[in-house]
Amino acid sequence: MKHLLTVLVALTLLISCNKNKEVTNETPNEATVDYVAKNDKEITDYIAKNKLKAQKSESGLYYVINEPGTGAQPTATSNVTVAYKGYFTNGSVFDESKPEGISFGLDQVVKGWTEGIPHFKTGGSGILLVPAHLGYGNETMGPIPGGSALIFDVKLISVN
């Protein structure tokens, strides 16, 4: 009984210590930060600061519809042409399309776009506020550090 109590106390301490760490999957030697809560706070602070009327999906994507559009509405597998500007919550731009936009399949982009772009019809525009788990995750991708919340101003030019 004495040994069982010692084991239970040790397990309780181990579990409570692990709950305080911000560590996710990866291999044991590659501890990575879990950015879900951090990104959510960063995005909600951005929304409040900029007085946006954003909606939040079940996945954690935030989106703002400035203009819903009047044309065709894409699905998650549609090929679309979108003009966009991508930036961080501090306003620093990391990517931007030309005004005529760029075409791609919505099943070939980050999950935040696959989910977010179908909220618009052709001609529609708005903002996608993408947490890392719907973007590039914890991996650094070019100028985008791992774990980054991403903001995209988007205009759906066409469903191809």
Side-chain angles (χ1 to χ4, degrees):
M1 185 72 168
K2 184 176 174 184
H3 288 88
L4 180 60
L5 183 58
T6 303
V7 169
L8 287 175
V9 169
L11 281 173
T12 303
L13 288 172
L14 181 64
I15 290 168
S16 65
C17 287
N18 282 338
K19 283 183 181 177
N20 293 330
K21 291 181 181 178
E22 290 186 319
V23 177
T24 60
N25 45 26
E26 302 304 320
T27 60
N29 295 332
E30 296 177 26
T32 55
V33 177
D34 177 5
Y35 289 97
V36 175
K38 179 182 180 289
N39 286 169
D40 196 67
K41 179 172 180 4
E42 185 178 350
I43 290 170
T44 55
D45 287 352
Y46 180 88
I47 289 168
K49 178 182 174 187
N50 292 282
K51 298 179 174 74
L52 300 175
K53 292 189 182 200
Q55 298 176 58
K56 182 181 183 182
S57 73
E58 286 184 26
S59 70
L61 174 73
Y62 288 85
Y63 60 96
V64 177
I65 298 175
N66 294 329
E67 179 64 43
T70 57
Q73 189 162 12
T75 66
T77 58
S78 295
N79 185 284
V80 296
T81 301
V82 175
Y84 70 93
K85 177 170 75 172
Y87 50 98
F88 303 109
T89 56
N90 68 6
S92 176
V93 176
F94 59 82
D95 193 17
E96 188 168 8
S97 72
K98 294 182 178 178
E100 60 271 16
I102 184 169
S103 298
F104 50 82
L106 285 176
D107 55 354
Q108 300 171 330
V109 292
V110 296
K111 291 176 185 176
W113 277 53
T114 303
E115 179 184 340
I117 297 296
H119 287 290
F120 304 97
K121 293 180 180 175
T122 300
S125 64
I127 304 168
L128 299 178
L129 301 107
V130 181
H133 72 277
L134 298 174
Y136 296 104
N138 293 345
E139 299 297 319
T140 294
M141 188 67 65
I144 302 169
S148 294
L150 308 174
I151 315 289
F152 294 95
D153 293 336
V154 297
K155 179 173 179 63
L156 178 57
I157 296 171
S158 65
V159 178
N160 306 322

